[in-house]
mmCIF file of all heavy atoms in Angstrom:
data_model
loop_
_atom_site.group_PDB
_atom_site.id
_atom_site.type_symbol
_atom_site.label_atom_id
_atom_site.label_comp_id
_atom_site.label_asym_id
_atom_site.label_seq_id
_atom_site.Cartn_x
_atom_site.Cartn_y
_atom_site.Cartn_z
ATOM 1 N N GLU H 1 -20.550 -46.928 8.933
ATOM 2 C CA GLU H 1 -19.279 -46.347 9.453
ATOM 3 C C GLU H 1 -19.425 -45.818 10.945
ATOM 4 O O GLU H 1 -18.646 -46.097 11.813
ATOM 5 C CB GLU H 1 -18.849 -45.246 8.559
ATOM 6 C CG GLU H 1 -17.525 -44.558 9.005
ATOM 7 C CD GLU H 1 -16.338 -45.008 8.228
ATOM 8 O OE1 GLU H 1 -16.451 -45.843 7.334
ATOM 9 O OE2 GLU H 1 -15.190 -44.654 8.648
ATOM 10 N N LEU H 2 -20.609 -45.169 11.212
ATOM 11 C CA LEU H 2 -20.872 -44.708 12.444
ATOM 12 C C LEU H 2 -20.997 -45.898 13.520
ATOM 13 O O LEU H 2 -20.497 -45.826 14.641
ATOM 14 C CB LEU H 2 -22.143 -43.846 12.610
ATOM 15 C CG LEU H 2 -21.915 -42.386 12.129
ATOM 16 C CD1 LEU H 2 -23.270 -41.690 12.004
ATOM 17 C CD2 LEU H 2 -21.128 -41.663 13.032
ATOM 18 N N THR H 3 -21.704 -46.949 13.069
ATOM 19 C CA THR H 3 -21.852 -48.147 13.996
ATOM 20 C C THR H 3 -20.467 -48.716 14.306
ATOM 21 O O THR H 3 -20.247 -49.058 15.466
ATOM 22 C CB THR H 3 -22.677 -49.130 13.221
ATOM 23 O OG1 THR H 3 -23.976 -48.558 12.987
ATOM 24 C CG2 THR H 3 -22.892 -50.403 14.098
ATOM 25 N N ALA H 4 -19.583 -48.749 13.302
ATOM 26 C CA ALA H 4 -18.219 -49.258 13.527
ATOM 27 C C ALA H 4 -17.491 -48.421 14.479
ATOM 28 O O ALA H 4 -16.752 -48.890 15.372
ATOM 29 C CB ALA H 4 -17.483 -49.388 12.213
ATOM 30 N N ARG H 5 -17.640 -47.079 14.384
ATOM 31 C CA ARG H 5 -16.995 -46.198 15.347
ATOM 32 C C ARG H 5 -17.501 -46.157 16.719
ATOM 33 O O ARG H 5 -16.800 -46.083 17.649
ATOM 34 C CB ARG H 5 -17.066 -44.752 14.761
ATOM 35 C CG ARG H 5 -16.170 -44.435 13.556
ATOM 36 C CD ARG H 5 -16.276 -43.064 13.236
ATOM 37 N NE ARG H 5 -15.482 -42.751 12.050
ATOM 38 C CZ ARG H 5 -15.108 -41.530 11.678
ATOM 39 N NH1 ARG H 5 -15.319 -40.552 12.406
ATOM 40 N NH2 ARG H 5 -14.430 -41.410 10.543
ATOM 41 N N LEU H 6 -18.852 -46.226 16.764
ATOM 42 C CA LEU H 6 -19.545 -45.974 18.075
ATOM 43 C C LEU H 6 -19.685 -47.303 18.945
ATOM 44 O O LEU H 6 -19.826 -47.295 20.165
ATOM 45 C CB LEU H 6 -20.920 -45.379 17.929
ATOM 46 C CG LEU H 6 -20.963 -43.877 17.449
ATOM 47 C CD1 LEU H 6 -22.402 -43.482 17.141
ATOM 48 C CD2 LEU H 6 -20.372 -43.030 18.561
ATOM 49 N N GLY H 7 -19.918 -48.376 18.134
ATOM 50 C CA GLY H 7 -20.307 -49.616 18.964
ATOM 51 C C GLY H 7 -21.746 -49.385 19.450
ATOM 52 O O GLY H 7 -22.543 -48.893 18.823
ATOM 53 N N ASP H 8 -21.856 -49.720 20.779
ATOM 54 C CA ASP H 8 -23.081 -49.486 21.495
ATOM 55 C C ASP H 8 -23.264 -48.006 21.901
ATOM 56 O O ASP H 8 -22.644 -47.603 22.944
ATOM 57 C CB ASP H 8 -23.173 -50.378 22.743
ATOM 58 C CG ASP H 8 -24.435 -50.196 23.460
ATOM 59 O OD1 ASP H 8 -25.402 -49.577 22.973
ATOM 60 O OD2 ASP H 8 -24.587 -50.783 24.592
ATOM 61 N N PHE H 9 -24.000 -47.241 21.137
ATOM 62 C CA PHE H 9 -24.005 -45.782 21.425
ATOM 63 C C PHE H 9 -25.012 -45.411 22.542
ATOM 64 O O PHE H 9 -25.079 -44.314 22.948
ATOM 65 C CB PHE H 9 -24.337 -45.038 20.151
ATOM 66 C CG PHE H 9 -25.844 -44.843 19.823
ATOM 67 C CD1 PHE H 9 -26.380 -43.592 19.662
ATOM 68 C CD2 PHE H 9 -26.681 -45.898 19.637
ATOM 69 C CE1 PHE H 9 -27.720 -43.422 19.360
ATOM 70 C CE2 PHE H 9 -28.018 -45.773 19.272
ATOM 71 C CZ PHE H 9 -28.502 -44.522 19.190
ATOM 72 N N SER H 10 -25.545 -46.452 23.135
ATOM 73 C CA SER H 10 -26.437 -46.203 24.359
ATOM 74 C C SER H 10 -25.674 -45.687 25.520
ATOM 75 O O SER H 10 -26.232 -45.042 26.430
ATOM 76 C CB SER H 10 -27.278 -47.455 24.643
ATOM 77 O OG SER H 10 -26.415 -48.483 25.132
ATOM 78 N N GLU H 11 -24.359 -45.934 25.504
ATOM 79 C CA GLU H 11 -23.512 -45.518 26.688
ATOM 80 C C GLU H 11 -23.114 -44.042 26.504
ATOM 81 O O GLU H 11 -22.580 -43.395 27.480
ATOM 82 C CB GLU H 11 -22.266 -46.315 26.723
ATOM 83 C CG GLU H 11 -22.469 -47.806 26.970
ATOM 84 C CD GLU H 11 -23.222 -48.047 28.232
ATOM 85 O OE1 GLU H 11 -22.886 -47.532 29.291
ATOM 86 O OE2 GLU H 11 -24.237 -48.780 28.200
ATOM 87 N N ARG H 12 -23.317 -43.450 25.315
ATOM 88 C CA ARG H 12 -22.977 -42.039 25.197
ATOM 89 C C ARG H 12 -24.148 -41.160 25.572
ATOM 90 O O ARG H 12 -25.333 -41.587 25.591
ATOM 91 C CB ARG H 12 -22.657 -41.768 23.704
ATOM 92 C CG ARG H 12 -21.394 -42.243 23.217
ATOM 93 C CD ARG H 12 -21.161 -41.958 21.730
ATOM 94 N NE ARG H 12 -20.724 -40.624 21.536
ATOM 95 C CZ ARG H 12 -19.575 -40.279 20.913
ATOM 96 N NH1 ARG H 12 -18.699 -41.220 20.564
ATOM 97 N NH2 ARG H 12 -19.261 -39.068 20.697
ATOM 98 N N GLY H 13 -23.853 -39.878 25.968
ATOM 99 C CA GLY H 13 -24.961 -38.921 26.345
ATOM 100 C C GLY H 13 -25.676 -38.405 25.084
ATOM 101 O O GLY H 13 -25.382 -37.312 24.666
ATOM 102 N N VAL H 14 -26.371 -39.348 24.431
ATOM 103 C CA VAL H 14 -27.071 -38.936 23.132
ATOM 104 C C VAL H 14 -28.522 -38.687 23.438
ATOM 105 O O VAL H 14 -29.276 -39.590 24.000
ATOM 106 C CB VAL H 14 -26.869 -40.090 22.084
ATOM 107 C CG1 VAL H 14 -27.608 -39.742 20.782
ATOM 108 C CG2 VAL H 14 -25.356 -40.342 21.850
ATOM 109 N N VAL H 15 -29.014 -37.558 22.949
ATOM 110 C CA VAL H 15 -30.535 -37.276 23.041
ATOM 111 C C VAL H 15 -31.148 -38.080 21.938
ATOM 112 O O VAL H 15 -30.925 -37.952 20.800
ATOM 113 C CB VAL H 15 -30.711 -35.711 22.811
ATOM 114 C CG1 VAL H 15 -32.159 -35.495 22.677
ATOM 115 C CG2 VAL H 15 -30.066 -34.895 23.856
ATOM 116 N N ARG H 16 -32.085 -38.910 22.475
ATOM 117 C CA ARG H 16 -32.859 -39.796 21.521
ATOM 118 C C ARG H 16 -34.059 -40.345 22.323
ATOM 119 O O ARG H 16 -34.036 -40.444 23.525
ATOM 120 C CB ARG H 16 -32.073 -41.009 21.029
ATOM 121 C CG ARG H 16 -31.550 -41.947 22.008
ATOM 122 C CD ARG H 16 -30.525 -42.891 21.423
ATOM 123 N NE ARG H 16 -29.964 -43.758 22.473
ATOM 124 C CZ ARG H 16 -30.200 -44.975 22.584
ATOM 125 N NH1 ARG H 16 -31.010 -45.578 21.793
ATOM 126 N NH2 ARG H 16 -29.706 -45.703 23.616
ATOM 127 N N LYS H 17 -35.042 -40.729 21.521
ATOM 128 C CA LYS H 17 -36.249 -41.249 22.020
ATOM 129 C C LYS H 17 -35.967 -42.643 22.436
ATOM 130 O O LYS H 17 -35.144 -43.417 21.952
ATOM 131 C CB LYS H 17 -37.415 -41.217 20.953
ATOM 132 C CG LYS H 17 -37.762 -39.806 20.650
ATOM 133 C CD LYS H 17 -38.729 -39.844 19.418
ATOM 134 C CE LYS H 17 -38.968 -38.479 18.858
ATOM 135 N NZ LYS H 17 -37.877 -37.915 18.079
ATOM 136 N N SER H 18 -36.768 -43.144 23.444
ATOM 137 C CA SER H 18 -36.607 -44.485 23.939
ATOM 138 C C SER H 18 -36.762 -45.504 22.838
ATOM 139 O O SER H 18 -37.743 -45.468 22.055
ATOM 140 C CB SER H 18 -37.679 -44.769 25.018
ATOM 141 O OG SER H 18 -37.566 -46.110 25.509
ATOM 142 N N GLY H 19 -35.801 -46.466 22.641
ATOM 143 C CA GLY H 19 -35.818 -47.424 21.663
ATOM 144 C C GLY H 19 -35.354 -47.046 20.223
ATOM 145 O O GLY H 19 -35.336 -47.761 19.375
ATOM 146 N N GLN H 20 -35.010 -45.758 20.211
ATOM 147 C CA GLN H 20 -34.525 -45.229 18.870
ATOM 148 C C GLN H 20 -33.177 -45.798 18.529
ATOM 149 O O GLN H 20 -32.249 -45.670 19.338
ATOM 150 C CB GLN H 20 -34.520 -43.683 18.958
ATOM 151 C CG GLN H 20 -34.489 -43.086 17.617
ATOM 152 C CD GLN H 20 -34.602 -41.475 17.744
ATOM 153 O OE1 GLN H 20 -34.228 -40.905 18.654
ATOM 154 N NE2 GLN H 20 -35.334 -40.952 16.734
ATOM 155 N N THR H 21 -33.043 -46.391 17.340
ATOM 156 C CA THR H 21 -31.785 -46.909 16.874
ATOM 157 C C THR H 21 -30.881 -45.855 16.343
ATOM 158 O O THR H 21 -31.411 -44.746 16.000
ATOM 159 C CB THR H 21 -31.945 -48.035 15.844
ATOM 160 O OG1 THR H 21 -32.545 -47.381 14.647
ATOM 161 C CG2 THR H 21 -32.894 -49.067 16.373
ATOM 162 N N LEU H 22 -29.637 -46.146 15.954
ATOM 163 C CA LEU H 22 -28.777 -45.218 15.308
ATOM 164 C C LEU H 22 -29.362 -44.792 13.943
ATOM 165 O O LEU H 22 -29.342 -43.661 13.579
ATOM 166 C CB LEU H 22 -27.434 -45.770 15.242
ATOM 167 C CG LEU H 22 -26.347 -44.921 14.633
ATOM 168 C CD1 LEU H 22 -26.165 -43.625 15.351
ATOM 169 C CD2 LEU H 22 -25.013 -45.657 14.499
ATOM 170 N N ALA H 23 -29.867 -45.824 13.241
ATOM 171 C CA ALA H 23 -30.487 -45.611 11.911
ATOM 172 C C ALA H 23 -31.625 -44.644 12.060
ATOM 173 O O ALA H 23 -31.845 -43.729 11.205
ATOM 174 C CB ALA H 23 -30.846 -46.882 11.248
ATOM 175 N N ASP H 24 -32.488 -44.826 13.050
ATOM 176 C CA ASP H 24 -33.655 -43.936 13.298
ATOM 177 C C ASP H 24 -33.175 -42.530 13.535
ATOM 178 O O ASP H 24 -33.736 -41.555 13.024
ATOM 179 C CB ASP H 24 -34.524 -44.400 14.571
ATOM 180 C CG ASP H 24 -35.118 -45.793 14.323
ATOM 181 O OD1 ASP H 24 -35.316 -46.274 13.120
ATOM 182 O OD2 ASP H 24 -35.432 -46.404 15.338
ATOM 183 N N LEU H 25 -32.179 -42.449 14.375
ATOM 184 C CA LEU H 25 -31.664 -41.109 14.785
ATOM 185 C C LEU H 25 -31.089 -40.455 13.508
ATOM 186 O O LEU H 25 -31.316 -39.208 13.320
ATOM 187 C CB LEU H 25 -30.578 -41.219 15.879
ATOM 188 C CG LEU H 25 -30.248 -39.998 16.606
ATOM 189 C CD1 LEU H 25 -31.453 -39.401 17.323
ATOM 190 C CD2 LEU H 25 -29.125 -40.301 17.635
ATOM 191 N N MET H 26 -30.403 -41.148 12.733
ATOM 192 C CA MET H 26 -29.738 -40.594 11.471
ATOM 193 C C MET H 26 -30.917 -40.106 10.515
ATOM 194 O O MET H 26 -30.804 -38.963 10.001
ATOM 195 C CB MET H 26 -28.939 -41.574 10.766
ATOM 196 C CG MET H 26 -27.644 -41.832 11.507
ATOM 197 S SD MET H 26 -26.504 -42.882 10.518
ATOM 198 C CE MET H 26 -26.050 -41.781 9.204
ATOM 199 N N GLN H 27 -31.881 -40.860 10.418
ATOM 200 C CA GLN H 27 -33.067 -40.481 9.531
ATOM 201 C C GLN H 27 -33.680 -39.214 10.028
ATOM 202 O O GLN H 27 -34.140 -38.390 9.186
ATOM 203 C CB GLN H 27 -34.087 -41.648 9.532
ATOM 204 C CG GLN H 27 -35.182 -41.432 8.511
ATOM 205 C CD GLN H 27 -36.075 -42.711 8.315
ATOM 206 O OE1 GLN H 27 -36.014 -43.570 9.219
ATOM 207 N NE2 GLN H 27 -36.805 -42.707 7.334
ATOM 208 N N GLU H 28 -33.730 -38.999 11.288
ATOM 209 C CA GLU H 28 -34.365 -37.739 11.906
ATOM 210 C C GLU H 28 -33.418 -36.585 11.731
ATOM 211 O O GLU H 28 -33.783 -35.480 11.425
ATOM 212 C CB GLU H 28 -34.625 -38.099 13.311
ATOM 213 C CG GLU H 28 -35.266 -36.887 14.156
ATOM 214 C CD GLU H 28 -35.516 -37.294 15.581
ATOM 215 O OE1 GLU H 28 -36.376 -38.238 15.764
ATOM 216 O OE2 GLU H 28 -34.930 -36.773 16.501
ATOM 217 N N ARG H 29 -32.095 -36.765 12.033
ATOM 218 C CA ARG H 29 -31.146 -35.697 12.034
ATOM 219 C C ARG H 29 -30.432 -35.282 10.702
ATOM 220 O O ARG H 29 -30.227 -34.072 10.529
ATOM 221 C CB ARG H 29 -30.005 -35.976 13.056
ATOM 222 C CG ARG H 29 -30.442 -35.996 14.438
ATOM 223 C CD ARG H 29 -29.325 -36.152 15.387
ATOM 224 N NE ARG H 29 -29.694 -36.179 16.753
ATOM 225 C CZ ARG H 29 -28.803 -36.392 17.762
ATOM 226 N NH1 ARG H 29 -27.555 -36.562 17.526
ATOM 227 N NH2 ARG H 29 -29.321 -36.465 19.011
ATOM 228 N N CYS H 30 -30.271 -36.203 9.811
ATOM 229 C CA CYS H 30 -29.465 -35.902 8.614
ATOM 230 C C CYS H 30 -30.146 -34.751 7.817
ATOM 231 O O CYS H 30 -29.466 -33.948 7.275
ATOM 232 C CB CYS H 30 -29.232 -37.113 7.802
ATOM 233 S SG CYS H 30 -27.977 -38.163 8.650
ATOM 234 N N PRO H 31 -31.551 -34.760 7.668
ATOM 235 C CA PRO H 31 -32.102 -33.622 6.889
ATOM 236 C C PRO H 31 -31.736 -32.286 7.592
ATOM 237 O O PRO H 31 -31.652 -31.261 6.922
ATOM 238 C CB PRO H 31 -33.595 -33.923 6.908
ATOM 239 C CG PRO H 31 -33.648 -35.399 7.098
ATOM 240 C CD PRO H 31 -32.517 -35.766 8.003
ATOM 241 N N LEU H 32 -31.629 -32.242 8.917
ATOM 242 C CA LEU H 32 -31.345 -30.979 9.586
ATOM 243 C C LEU H 32 -29.837 -30.647 9.404
ATOM 244 O O LEU H 32 -29.569 -29.501 9.101
ATOM 245 C CB LEU H 32 -31.580 -31.114 11.120
ATOM 246 C CG LEU H 32 -33.057 -31.367 11.494
ATOM 247 C CD1 LEU H 32 -33.155 -31.688 13.028
ATOM 248 C CD2 LEU H 32 -33.898 -30.086 11.161
ATOM 249 N N TYR H 33 -28.957 -31.577 9.400
ATOM 250 C CA TYR H 33 -27.542 -31.355 9.070
ATOM 251 C C TYR H 33 -27.412 -30.747 7.762
ATOM 252 O O TYR H 33 -26.760 -29.724 7.513
ATOM 253 C CB TYR H 33 -26.718 -32.593 9.217
ATOM 254 C CG TYR H 33 -26.605 -33.219 10.586
ATOM 255 C CD1 TYR H 33 -26.759 -34.590 10.714
ATOM 256 C CD2 TYR H 33 -26.384 -32.425 11.770
ATOM 257 C CE1 TYR H 33 -26.705 -35.174 11.956
ATOM 258 C CE2 TYR H 33 -26.329 -33.011 12.982
ATOM 259 C CZ TYR H 33 -26.433 -34.430 13.137
ATOM 260 O OH TYR H 33 -26.335 -35.008 14.372
ATOM 261 N N GLU H 34 -28.129 -31.348 6.751
ATOM 262 C CA GLU H 34 -28.076 -30.890 5.352
ATOM 263 C C GLU H 34 -28.716 -29.461 5.208
ATOM 264 O O GLU H 34 -28.181 -28.696 4.491
ATOM 265 C CB GLU H 34 -28.803 -31.902 4.459
ATOM 266 C CG GLU H 34 -28.006 -33.175 4.257
ATOM 267 C CD GLU H 34 -28.755 -34.318 3.640
ATOM 268 O OE1 GLU H 34 -29.876 -34.138 3.243
ATOM 269 O OE2 GLU H 34 -28.227 -35.466 3.754
ATOM 270 N N LYS H 35 -29.781 -29.206 6.027
ATOM 271 C CA LYS H 35 -30.457 -27.937 5.943
ATOM 272 C C LYS H 35 -29.417 -26.717 6.371
ATOM 273 O O LYS H 35 -29.425 -25.731 5.789
ATOM 274 C CB LYS H 35 -31.674 -27.884 6.838
ATOM 275 C CG LYS H 35 -32.334 -26.606 7.042
ATOM 276 C CD LYS H 35 -33.508 -26.690 8.062
ATOM 277 C CE LYS H 35 -34.080 -25.322 8.381
ATOM 278 N NZ LYS H 35 -35.178 -25.466 9.350
ATOM 279 N N TYR H 36 -28.760 -27.018 7.416
ATOM 280 C CA TYR H 36 -27.918 -25.960 7.999
ATOM 281 C C TYR H 36 -26.525 -25.872 7.474
ATOM 282 O O TYR H 36 -25.791 -24.832 7.659
ATOM 283 C CB TYR H 36 -27.790 -26.147 9.580
ATOM 284 C CG TYR H 36 -29.209 -25.778 10.255
ATOM 285 C CD1 TYR H 36 -29.869 -26.839 10.939
ATOM 286 C CD2 TYR H 36 -29.694 -24.563 10.122
ATOM 287 C CE1 TYR H 36 -31.030 -26.547 11.515
ATOM 288 C CE2 TYR H 36 -30.964 -24.239 10.768
ATOM 289 C CZ TYR H 36 -31.671 -25.212 11.438
ATOM 290 O OH TYR H 36 -32.829 -25.013 12.039
ATOM 291 N N ALA H 37 -26.082 -26.857 6.792
ATOM 292 C CA ALA H 37 -24.630 -26.917 6.321
ATOM 293 C C ALA H 37 -24.449 -26.011 5.086
ATOM 294 O O ALA H 37 -25.202 -25.942 4.224
ATOM 295 C CB ALA H 37 -24.260 -28.365 5.987
ATOM 296 N N HIS H 38 -23.321 -25.248 5.185
ATOM 297 C CA HIS H 38 -22.865 -24.499 3.993
ATOM 298 C C HIS H 38 -22.079 -25.527 3.090
ATOM 299 O O HIS H 38 -22.096 -25.501 1.892
ATOM 300 C CB HIS H 38 -21.928 -23.373 4.363
ATOM 301 C CG HIS H 38 -22.647 -22.272 5.078
ATOM 302 N ND1 HIS H 38 -22.364 -21.990 6.492
ATOM 303 C CD2 HIS H 38 -23.534 -21.355 4.636
ATOM 304 C CE1 HIS H 38 -23.137 -20.957 6.736
ATOM 305 N NE2 HIS H 38 -23.845 -20.563 5.775
ATOM 306 N N LEU H 39 -21.340 -26.410 3.699
ATOM 307 C CA LEU H 39 -20.555 -27.424 3.008
ATOM 308 C C LEU H 39 -20.745 -28.795 3.633
ATOM 309 O O LEU H 39 -20.936 -28.905 4.888
ATOM 310 C CB LEU H 39 -19.028 -27.020 3.194
ATOM 311 C CG LEU H 39 -18.570 -25.607 2.807
ATOM 312 C CD1 LEU H 39 -17.061 -25.455 3.232
ATOM 313 C CD2 LEU H 39 -18.644 -25.512 1.212
#
């Protein structure tokens, strides 16, 4: 769903490591979102 919405996300001001894909970024960030979310 994110890929469909974003298309090429390299054009956005996104903090990510060189060569990091959207899937890689999600794998890194999703546990943090889950950690901090109340809902």
Side-chain angles (χ1 to χ4, degrees):
E1 182 98 3
L2 281 171
T3 300
R5 287 185 184 198
L6 289 174
D8 180 11
F9 87 122
S10 63
E11 298 301 311
R12 286 178 78 119
V14 176
V15 173
R16 64 190 174 108
K17 296 171 188 78
S18 178
Q20 197 172 33
T21 66
L22 183 60
D24 296 337
L25 196 60
M26 287 184 74
Q27 189 172 16
E28 181 178 296
R29 289 185 182 179
C30 289
L32 294 172
Y33 297 135
E34 290 166 9
K35 172 184 174 181
Y36 292 116
H38 292 110
L39 305 171

